[in-house]
Amino acid sequence: GWRGLAGGGARERLELGLRGVWRLDCPGPGEEATAIALMLRHALETRERTAALVTPDRSLARRVAAELRRWEIQVDDSAGVPLAETPPGAFLRLTARMLAEGLAPLSLLAALKHPLAAGGEEPGAFKAKVRALEIAVLRGVRPASGFDGLLAALDGKNEAARLRPWLEGLRAMAAEAEAALQAPEARFDEAVGAQMRFAEALAATPDEPGAARLWRGEAGEAAAALAAALLENAEAAPALPGSRYPALLDTLMQGRVVRPPQGGHPRLAIWGPLEARLQRADLVILGGLNEGTWPDETDPGPWLSRPMRGSFGLPPVERRIGLMAHDFAQAFAAPEIVLTRATRIEGTPTVASRWLLRLDALLESWGLVPLEQRQETDWLHWATQLDAPSRALSARERSARRPAPTPPLSARPRKLPVTRIETWLRDPYALYADRILGLRPLDAIDQDPGAAERGTLLHRILEAFVKAYPDALPEDPEAELLRLGEAAFAEQSVPPGLRAFWWPRFRRIARWFAEVERNRRADGRTVLAERRGSFFPEGLEPPFELVAKADRIESLPDGGLALIDYKTGTVPKNAEILHGKAPQLPLEAAMAAAGAFRDVPAGTVAELAHWEIKGGRVEGKEHPVTKADPAALAGQALDSLCALIRRFDDPQTPYWSRPRPGWLPRFDDYGHLARVQEWSAGGTGDEG
C-alpha cells in the first residue's frame, strides 16, 4: 500500500502525510481512557473544533464517556449500552436470580442493594434494613433457603424484632413470583408476569409507584418494551423449570441496546468503526489499537473449519480484517490523528495492532521520527496529575508511621477473657481495635462452614457427653458419642459435602476420646465441662476482671484439679507456654486455684494439658504441659498479667503494633488497619 512513495521526494511526501499523526502507549485501559478524555476536553478549547473517539472496544468507549462526565460533558456513544447493563435491566436480572436461587445470600443482597430496590419504603430506610439483615444472618454460613430459612436464622438475634415484620412484608410481596420461579415446571407467561409485578412492587417508594421508577427513561422504556414483547409471545414458549428462567431472561436481553437520544455534546462524539466511515472530525482518536481488539480475532469457531466455510459459500473469517483495515484507513485520513493503545490489560501484556507495527517498520526504514515521539503534550503526565494531590507530600507524610494510640484510661478495658491476654501480649494494637474501637472482622458472605464451625461443633458434642456423664461412663462411650454427634450434625445442618469429610473424622475422634475417658476415669475422678469463671487479681486499682470458660476440669480423688483445653486447630508449643507467650492454661490454673470457677472448689492444679482432636491421621493426642510445676506456672502467668495491666494503666503507654520475631500473632485480623507491611518495610516510626 506504500508503492506510491517510490521515486524522488518520497521521504518528504511521507513526512508530510504523517504530519499531525502521533501515538500514545498507555500502561493500562484506565490511563488510556483518562488521556483520551483529556484530549477531547482540550479540543473544546478551540472554537468550532470537533473531535471524536473511534474504537471497536466498547469498554474503552464507556470509560471515556464516564471520564468526560467529571467536566459535565455528555457525549453520545453511537453503539449505546447493552440493556442488561442498564439499571432497569440489571434489576430485572437480579430479582429473577434472587427468587430462582431460593434467596441465596449473594443474589439476595445484589437485588436488595440495587438503587431501584425500596420495597415501598424510603430507599435509605430500606437499605438500612438490608445492611442489618446482612450482618445478622447473611454473613457466615448460609441459612436455609427461602424466607422460612431467613426467619429461622433471625431467632435470637438482636435485630429480630425489627427485621421480622419487614421480611414478612417482602415474603408477601414476592409470594407469586417465588412460587413460579421455584416450581419444577412453570408456564413462561406466568413466570414473566409474576416477576415483572414483583419488580414493580420492590421498586416502589412512598412517593412514587414502582412502575414509574422502573420503566423511566430510555433504559426503562427499552426494558418495558422487552417485557411487553415477552408477555405478548410467552404463550408460544414451552413450560420450563423455574430455576432456568434467569438464564433465559439473560439470553433474551442479549442484542438489545439502549441508545441515548440525540442531545449530547455537538462537537464531541464516540463512534464505532462502521459509524465513523461517513463522519468527519478535526481530531480523530483511534483507540484500543491492540491485536484481538482492532483487528478482531479471526478464530473460525469450533463448528466449521476454513475449508468447510468455503464449501458452504461463507466468506472467510479474514474478510473481517480487511473490513477493519478499510475502517482504519478511512479514519486515518482525518486532519489530526492520535493512535492509542494499552500495553497491559488486567495485568496481561498486549500485542500492538498490526497496523501500528507496519507504521513503525515504515518509519524506521526511512529513518523518520517514531510516532510516539511526535506528541507535543505529555498527555500521560496530565492524566496522572489529574487526581494527584494538590501539593507535594513531605518525606514524613509519604512514609507510613507505626500507629501508637493512647486512649484515656476510662476507655481502656477492665475486663478481658483469658483468650485475649495472648493477643494483648503479642499485638496490643489488635486488642485496641477489638476492645476499645469495637471493630470486629465480618465473616464472608455465604461462606462454607470451616475450621471455626467444626471446632464449635466438636466442643458442643464433647460438652454434651461430659455433662451427661460427669461421674460414671455409659456402657459404650463410643456409641453414645456417635449418637450425640448425629444429633449435633443434624441440628447444625451440616451440608452433605462437608459431612462426607467431617463425619469420618468425628468417628475417629469418638473412638480415641472413649478410650482416653476409660483410662482417665479409672481412678474415680469427676469431670466438669465448660465451666465459667471470674477472677479479680489482687493489688490492682481500679479492679481488673479476668473471665474464662474452661473446656474441661477434672476433680481428682486427692482433691487436686486437672485442666484440659480442647484444640481442633494449632496446639501451643510447650516452650511458648513456659515462656509466657501462650498464657491461657496457666491463667485458668490460677483462677482454679483461687476457686474462681462455678461449682468447682478451690484446689491445687496438678495437671495442665491440651488435647488435640482433629481426627486426621492421628485420631487424637494428649499434649501435657511438662517441665514446670503447674502451680508455679500459674503464679508466674498471674504476675506477668498484673505487670502488663499496670503498664497499660499508664495513660502514656501506647497500644503499639508489635510484629516481633517469635511473638507474631497466630491470627491477625487487624494488621491491615495497623498498616504493618507499610511501616515495617520502610523502617519508619519505630519509636519505643
Side-chain angles (χ1 to χ4, degrees):
W2 298 96
R3 292 190 183 94
L5 293 177
R11 178 188 175 94
E12 290 75 11
R13 290 199 300 274
L14 177 59
E15 182 68 44
L16 181 63
L18 291 177
R19 184 176 299 171
V21 179
W22 54 276
R23 172 178 166 182
L24 179 64
D25 286 17
C26 304
E31 293 84 350
E32 183 182 10
T34 304
I36 292 173
L38 278 170
M39 287 185 274
L40 294 175
R41 174 65 182 84
H42 181 261
L44 298 180
E45 296 298 316
T46 303
R47 185 178 179 84
E48 298 182 359
R49 182 176 172 81
T50 58
L53 166 65
V54 180
T55 179
D57 187 347
R58 305 325 309 160
S59 175
L60 176 63
R62 287 192 290 271
R63 283 175 181 263
V64 172
E67 287 289 341
L68 285 170
R69 283 197 287 271
R70 74 164 70 208
W71 297 293
E72 299 183 358
I73 298 175
Q74 190 70 33
V75 60
D76 290 335
D77 183 357
S78 62
V81 180
L83 175 60
E85 297 181 13
T86 63
F91 187 62
L92 294 178
R93 295 169 57 227
L94 292 174
T95 52
R97 190 175 303 161
M98 175 189 83
L99 298 175
E101 294 181 0
L103 276 63
L106 285 173
S107 58
L108 176 65
L109 287 175
L112 297 187
K113 286 189 173 183
H114 191 280
L116 285 174
E121 304 181 34
E122 290 293 339
F126 182 85
K127 296 301 188 294
K129 292 176 181 176
V130 174
R131 289 191 292 269
L133 180 70
E134 174 186 348
I135 300 299
V137 172
L138 301 179
R139 287 191 172 270
V141 180
R142 175 189 291 200
S145 64
F147 285 97
D148 289 337
L150 294 179
L151 292 169
L154 268 179
D155 290 340
K157 304 290 185 180
N158 295 333
E159 297 283 351
R162 173 190 175 197
L163 296 180
R164 188 174 292 277
W166 174 68
L167 275 179
E168 292 287 2
L170 283 180
R171 180 206 284 237
M173 187 185 302
E176 181 187 9
E178 184 182 22
L181 271 63
Q182 289 289 318
E185 289 289 331
R187 288 178 49 186
F188 186 62
D189 57 342
E190 294 179 352
V192 172
Q195 193 241 334
M196 297 301 167
R197 286 190 288 273
F198 169 63
E200 289 182 353
L202 188 61
T205 66
D207 303 325
E208 198 171 9
R213 298 185 72 226
L214 181 58
W215 313 121
R216 174 185 298 155
E218 294 79 21
E221 291 177 2
L226 172 65
L230 293 180
L231 289 173
E232 182 179 351
N233 300 283
E235 294 182 358
L240 76 163
S243 59
R244 296 185 181 179
Y245 174 80
L248 179 58
L249 182 63
D250 288 352
T251 303
L252 294 173
M253 279 192 183
Q254 290 181 4
R256 289 184 174 262
V257 176
V258 179
R259 289 183 170 85
Q262 296 300 320
H265 201 284
R267 292 198 281 142
L268 298 182
I270 298 177
W271 298 324
L274 184 63
E275 292 86 359
R277 290 182 183 180
L278 299 178
Q279 308 278 0
R280 182 191 179 281
D282 299 321
L283 168 66
V284 173
I285 302 170
L286 306 183
L289 284 168
N290 286 321
E291 287 291 309
T293 302
W294 200 353
D296 200 355
E297 299 283 353
T298 58
D299 183 12
W303 307 113
L304 296 176
S305 64
R306 284 176 170 81
M308 293 171 67
R309 291 177 64 90
S311 300
F312 279 105
L314 297 174
V317 292
E318 287 78 10
R319 183 174 183 271
R320 293 202 304 269
I321 296 182
L323 293 174
M324 299 192 82
H326 177 267
D327 295 335
F328 179 84
Q330 290 280 94
F332 201 77
E336 185 176 351
I337 302 162
V338 181
L339 311 173
T340 71
R341 63 178 291 259
T343 57
R344 284 178 176 270
I345 296 179
E346 296 182 354
T348 304
T350 59
V351 177
S353 171
R354 62 194 67 185
W355 302 313
L356 289 181
L357 298 179
R358 290 175 184 178
L359 282 171
D360 289 343
L362 178 68
L363 293 176
E364 183 179 359
S365 65
W366 286 87
L368 298 178
V369 177
L371 293 178
E372 55 265 33
Q373 297 179 12
R374 294 169 176 253
Q375 57 178 311
E376 298 177 358
T377 304
D378 190 350
W379 293 104
L380 265 182
H381 170 74
W382 285 108
T384 56
Q385 292 298 311
L386 194 60
D387 296 315
S390 58
R391 63 180 180 86
L393 300 178
S394 65
R396 181 180 180 86
E397 290 172 324
R398 287 195 302 269
S399 63
R401 310 289 296 177
R402 182 171 64 157
T406 54
L409 293 180
S410 58
R412 302 192 180 202
R414 306 306 300 178
K415 177 181 178 179
L416 285 176
V418 291
T419 54
R420 302 304 289 169
I421 302 302
E422 181 176 346
T423 303
W424 198 359
L425 287 167
R426 292 177 181 266
D427 188 4
Y429 185 86
L431 186 76
Y432 164 78
D434 177 19
R435 296 288 163 163
I436 298 177
L437 298 183
L439 302 177
R440 303 286 189 277
L442 294 175
D443 294 327
I445 297 174
D446 196 11
Q447 70 179 16
D448 289 328
E453 289 75 22
R454 177 173 172 268
T456 301
L457 182 63
L458 291 177
H459 276 73
R460 186 182 304 171
I461 296 170
L462 300 183
E463 177 187 359
F465 178 83
V466 172
K467 285 185 175 179
Y469 305 100
D471 301 313
L473 290 172
E475 293 184 4
D476 190 345
E478 183 180 350
E480 181 63 13
L481 279 167
L482 293 176
R483 184 189 68 81
L484 293 171
E486 285 281 6
F489 271 65
E491 181 183 354
Q492 189 84 0
S493 300
V494 178
L498 285 175
R499 182 186 172 92
F501 287 96
W502 288 7
W503 184 252
R505 288 173 173 263
F506 176 70
R507 291 181 66 92
R508 292 192 286 269
I509 292 171
R511 182 168 56 249
W512 173 84
F513 193 83
E515 184 63 26
V516 171
E517 283 281 36
R518 290 192 188 97
N519 296 336
R520 294 183 69 87
R521 297 208 196 190
D523 59 5
R525 66 184 64 191
T526 301
V527 181
L528 302 174
E530 304 294 339
R531 294 294 172 174
R532 296 184 180 274
S534 175
F535 177 63
F536 291 88
E538 296 180 356
L540 295 178
E541 188 59 39
F544 187 94
E545 183 180 6
L546 186 66
V547 296
K549 185 180 181 182
D551 288 344
R552 180 185 178 105
I553 301 178
E554 297 180 352
S555 180
L556 308 180
D558 61 1
L561 299 173
L563 268 67
I564 313 296
D565 189 41
Y566 303 141
K567 288 295 184 184
T568 57
T570 304
V571 178
K573 297 178 181 178
N574 209 50
E576 291 181 322
I577 299 174
L578 297 179
H579 293 139
K581 297 179 181 178
Q584 178 181 346
L585 264 185
L587 288 175
E588 289 183 1
M591 295 175 63
F597 287 102
R598 178 171 54 85
D599 300 330
V600 180
T604 302
V605 177
E607 181 185 357
L608 297 175
H610 293 97
W611 286 5
E612 182 181 0
I613 47 174
K614 295 183 179 179
R617 295 180 180 178
V618 179
E619 297 174 344
K621 187 176 181 181
E622 298 181 69
H623 294 269
V625 179
T626 57
K627 300 182 182 180
D629 175 55
L633 196 60
Q636 176 184 339
L638 187 58
D639 291 341
S640 298
L641 173 63
C642 291
L644 182 67
I645 296 170
R646 291 190 181 97
R647 181 153 59 90
F648 277 88
D649 279 348
D650 180 356
Q652 301 303 317
T653 301
Y655 284 82
W656 291 105
S657 177
R658 290 183 177 276
R660 294 173 292 171
W663 286 82
L664 295 175
R666 294 189 179 92
F667 306 100
D668 189 4
D669 292 323
Y670 303 98
H672 62 294
L673 297 180
R675 299 178 298 170
V676 171
Q677 293 183 347
E678 298 177 37
W679 61 258
S680 60
T684 59
D686 195 20
E687 301 89 350

